[in-house]
Structure formats: structure tokens, C-alpha cells
Amino acid sequence: MNFSDFKKLLGADPYSLEAQTKSARDSNPEFAAAALQAEEFERKLEGATNIQPPEQLLADILALTEQQTHQPQASKGRNTWLMASAATIFMAVGAGSVLLWQQQQYSSIEDYVQKHVAYDGESVLRDAIGSLGVSQQQVSRAMSKYATLNPELLATIQYIKTCPTPNGKGVHFVISTNDGPITVIYMPETSGEDVQPFSVNSQRAHIIPLDRGSIAIIAGSDAAATAITPFLRTGIQPLSVDT
Amino acid sequence: MTDLQVLTDAERNTRFEAIAKEYGTDLYRYGLWLCGNDALAKDLVQETYLRAWKALHNLKQQAAVKGWLITILRREFARTFERKVPKFTDLDSVVIEASSDLSPADQLERKLLREGILRLPVRYREPLLLQIVMGHSCEEIATQLGLSKSAVMTQLFRAREKLKTMLQKDGVTGNIHELF
């Protein structure tokens, strides 16, 4: 093996343990020096790529499967959904809604919103601020199972994605308003009755019940959240479960 | 060989949790370097695991888990990419360094390397990430990407050469020049 071939091999596989490579490396100081340099560069590459994942990553992965296990399966038809709903109501009435939450990874709707915003609230906002908006197709793709949006609301959406919620999937979007960007999390299967406004990551969150599920509005102030509430209530037209 | 089809629900969940713990971090890193966007990387990983969980009964060999997850993530990324080309994140704003004991020169070098990786064309970036982040051998990369081993080795060599060239052009000074 000549030096050029040896360098190509190092560039392709710096830690190659093939006997031929080792033999070549040990045969000549120039080869050995090149191998050391390649390993040094590799350590720099590994250092550069070795980034820490979000703290919540594993919990969110496991939560997704938990939700798949517990959420009503639309494909099983109306009866399954009715049974699931009945079970939910029974639990809420008989044992209090806290028990329902305890089945999930969140202790309350406030806990869910706190964790969700801590997980990707900032990065989604950042992407939304730099975005030129989203297409109707993107909105439809994210929302189609749950709701339709009126054109006025549609025009304000800067970013949209599906996301986990306490009960199955939901939709996380950011709208542009006179009060700045406002985050909205639509939770189609989560009732948001009687939840008082609360603080989350230096912002204020309001939980607003809809005909189906509820939305969390996360804005810079209570006034901003209150001001945008009628616009969102009008703009989101939930689909019935059977749709 | 472990046949996951015979697992009970509880065993299946336990196995899934083990898979999530073992590969979740690497998959996130791989996804982040592939798409260059932290929010999308998180979505890709979640979608990958969701699909994996649903199809766990199709997995016949435990040893194939890593490649299987990568395949799912790559397909999901391709689907996403068809819809919208993601914008690169400013990685400095999302990366949490494992250690902060790097000198300013080393920090600059690392920053430039990261930018260089994201600037690599996907045909060079992807095999490099499979090797560095996922720990694949050249043979495994060839299988994953449907290429010959020699083609993969050429791409890996060129990827590293391009990174070195980028660093030179970006004016990195210090010991990295000793490498060229």
C-alpha cells in the first residue's frame, strides 16, 4: 500500500482495524504520523457532532407509545369511542379528574403545558418568527383529523406541527398578532374546563374549552391571551369525532 | 435472534423502552445533523419511534433494530423534505456542550466544523453521520444507503477532505493546520 492509498483509507475509515492498515501504519513513521493526525481530526469531528439531546426526549418518546395505548382508536369505530368516552366520564365523575391525569405522564393540564413549552416552545417560536408563513396544505395536513380553520385565522399562522397532548396527538401552532407571536396548542381529546390562567416560562397560558377538546393559548400577557381568545374560538371549527 | 412477535404487551413495552433508551440520543443527533433543525429533529425522532412501536411485531431480529430505526427516520425525513426544505437552526443556540473546557480557538474550530458538516452535500454528510454518530461500519453504511462499499469509502474520504478544505478557507488557525 502506498502513502496515497493509505491516506485515502484513513480518510474513509480512520479507525480501520484491518490487518493491512495496521501493518502499513507500523511500517513507516510517515504512515504512523498520518494515522495519528487522522485520529486527532476524528476526535474533533466526534466532539463537534456529540451534542446533547433535549432532556425530555426520552420521556416524550415513551409518552407517545403510552398515548397510543390509551387513546381511543378511531379505526375501531364509534362504539369504541363511546365506550372510551363513557369510561372517561365515569372516571371523572367517580374518582375526580385527577385520576384521569394520573394515567398519563402529566399531573395536570398545567403540567402538560409547562413541559411542552419547556420542551420545544422556544424553538418553535424561533422557527415561527423566521418563517414566511405556512401553506394551506400544511395546515390541512396537521389539522385535518381534528378541525377546520377559517381563512382569517389561517392567514395568521406562521408555524404548525402535530404534537403529543395528554390524550393523543394534537396540533401546535404559532400565530402572528398585534401583540406579537402567540403559541396555541390544540388538544382535541382533552377537556379544558375550569383551568385558571397560569404562568409558563415568563408567559401566561389560558386554557379555552372548545366544542371538541380545548386550546392552550400562551401569550406574553393575560391581556394578549384574552384579546385573541374570541378570534381563536371563531377560527377553529372542531370536527366531530366521527368525521 | 429474538422474535418480538411472541412478546406479551408488557414485554413489548419493556423492549421498546430499552430501544428508546439505547438509540434515542444517537437518533436525535443523527436527525439533527441530517436536517439541521432541532425542532424537526425532535419531530423526526418521535415519529420514528411512533412508527417503530406500531410495527415492532415486524422486527424479527433484535440485532437489526438500529438499522431499522435509521431506515424509518430517513424515510420520514425524505417525506418531510419533499414538503418543505427545513431551515437550518443556529446550532449555537441549541447545543448544550458536554464540557466547556475548550479554549477559545478550539471553540471556534468546533463551531466551524459544525457549520461545515451542515454545509456538506447530503451525499457526503449522510454516510459521515452514519459512521460518526451511529457507529456504522463502511459495510453497514453501504447496506443502509444501497451503495457499494467502495462508493461509500470514496464519499467518506471526500466528506472529510471537504471539511478540511472548508476549515482552511474559513481561516482556522492553530493545530488543525497540522492535519493538512
Side-chain angles (χ1 to χ4, degrees):
Chain A
M1 185 185 296
N2 63 32
F3 189 57
S4 174
D5 289 341
F6 182 70
K7 286 193 77 171
K8 280 182 183 169
L9 184 57
L10 284 178
D13 196 357
Y15 294 124
S16 171
L17 298 175
E18 288 177 17
Q20 196 185 6
T21 316
K22 290 174 82 174
S23 165
R25 187 185 60 191
D26 298 338
S27 68
N28 185 319
E30 188 185 21
F31 283 46
L36 279 177
Q37 287 180 348
E39 287 172 12
E40 173 69 11
F41 184 63
E42 211 56 20
R43 275 194 289 277
K44 291 173 190 293
L45 264 182
E46 286 167 7
T49 53
N50 186 24
I51 53 179
Q52 297 298 306
E55 284 183 11
Q56 280 287 105
L57 185 71
L58 179 63
D60 285 340
I61 291 169
L62 298 177
L64 280 173
T65 60
E66 187 85 355
Q67 287 159 10
Q68 287 294 307
T69 306
H70 289 110
Q71 76 178 7
Q73 297 294 310
S75 61
K76 291 181 181 174
R78 180 185 173 86
N79 288 343
T80 309
W81 165 242
L82 287 174
M83 287 172 65
S85 299
T88 302
I89 293 165
F90 172 77
M91 289 177 66
V93 172
S97 59
V98 172
L99 284 179
L100 176 64
W101 285 105
Q102 284 174 344
Q103 283 197 333
Q104 317 295 334
Q105 67 164 142
Y106 311 109
S107 59
S108 64
I109 200 165
E110 292 95 328
D111 182 41
Y112 159 73
V113 172
Q114 298 275 9
K115 287 178 176 168
H116 194 114
V117 170
Y119 173 57
D120 69 358
E122 280 190 24
S123 60
V124 166
L125 260 183
R126 202 168 44 236
D127 284 347
I129 290 167
S131 162
L132 296 174
V134 297
S135 68
Q136 189 163 355
Q137 197 180 17
Q138 285 173 286
V139 175
S140 297
R141 197 174 292 120
M143 273 284 182
S144 60
K145 289 182 186 170
Y146 317 113
T148 57
L149 305 183
N150 70 14
E152 291 78 15
L153 175 55
L154 196 58
T156 66
I157 295 181
Q158 292 298 110
Y159 185 98
I160 191 164
K161 68 194 246 320
T162 57
C163 66
T165 77
N167 300 289
K169 273 197 169 184
V171 184
H172 183 160
F173 59 100
V174 177
I175 58 172
S176 172
T177 77
N178 292 335
D179 293 313
I182 289 180
T183 297
V184 182
I185 302 172
Y186 179 42
M187 301 167 283
E189 315 299 345
T190 303
S191 169
E193 301 286 349
D194 300 327
V195 180
Q196 297 302 309
F198 56 96
S199 295
V200 52
N201 200 21
S202 305
Q203 299 179 91
R204 294 292 290 169
H206 289 208
I207 308 298
I208 309 297
L210 301 178
D211 290 343
R212 176 186 174 188
S214 56
I215 50 173
I217 303 172
I218 299 134
S221 65
D222 282 323
T226 302
I228 204 67
T229 296
F231 179 70
L232 288 165
R233 269 200 165 130
T234 310
I236 302 172
Q237 290 115 31
L239 303 174
S240 68
V241 175
D242 293 333
T243 302
Chain B
M1 180 187 291
T2 304
D3 186 345
L4 295 178
Q5 274 185 301
V6 301
L7 296 176
T8 65
D9 284 351
E11 289 169 334
R12 179 191 188 203
N13 288 341
T14 303
R15 182 65 54 85
F16 181 83
E17 187 173 336
I19 291 171
K21 283 179 180 169
E22 185 165 1
Y23 301 114
T25 296
D26 284 345
L27 273 183
Y28 171 76
R29 287 184 184 132
Y30 178 66
L32 177 57
W33 288 112
L34 190 62
C35 71
N37 183 297
D38 61 318
L40 178 56
K42 282 180 268 192
D43 285 349
L44 285 174
V45 172
Q46 290 196 5
E47 195 62 34
T48 297
Y49 272 104
L50 191 57
R51 289 175 184 274
W53 188 81
K54 287 176 178 172
L56 203 56
H57 60 278
N58 291 329
L59 183 66
K60 299 293 189 293
Q61 290 183 307
Q62 180 64 23
V65 169
K66 186 163 73 168
W68 185 57
L69 291 171
I70 292 170
T71 300
I72 299 173
L73 188 141
R74 290 182 68 235
R75 283 181 186 157
E76 197 58 33
F77 173 64
R79 270 194 284 270
T80 305
F81 202 82
E82 281 170 9
R83 297 197 291 264
K84 183 182 181 184
V85 178
K87 286 180 297 187
F88 284 174
T89 302
D90 175 8
L91 287 179
D92 286 344
S93 68
V94 295
V95 167
I96 302 164
E97 294 287 1
S99 67
S100 57
D101 55 358
L102 292 175
S103 68
D106 287 341
Q107 285 176 25
L108 172 64
E109 188 178 275
R110 178 167 289 186
K111 176 181 167 64
L112 292 173
L113 257 180
R114 286 178 170 154
E115 290 172 359
I117 292 167
L118 288 176
R119 280 157 55 192
L120 280 177
V122 171
R123 68 179 182 279
Y124 296 127
R125 186 164 19 124
E126 203 169 12
L128 189 68
L129 294 173
L130 286 170
Q131 188 179 54
I132 297 173
V133 177
M134 300 307 298
H136 271 16
S137 67
C138 292
E139 288 86 354
E140 287 172 322
I141 297 169
T143 303
Q144 182 73 52
L145 300 182
L147 299 170
S148 67
K149 182 184 171 186
S150 63
V152 165
M153 292 184 76
T154 300
Q155 287 176 331
L156 288 168
F157 171 73
R158 288 182 182 165
R160 287 186 171 86
E161 290 301 301
K162 283 180 180 293
L163 283 176
K164 291 173 184 174
T165 303
M166 284 180 199
L167 287 174
Q168 282 180 318
K169 281 183 181 169
D170 285 331
V172 171
T173 57
N175 59 0
I176 197 160
H177 277 183
E178 295 166 10
L179 302 171
F180 307 128

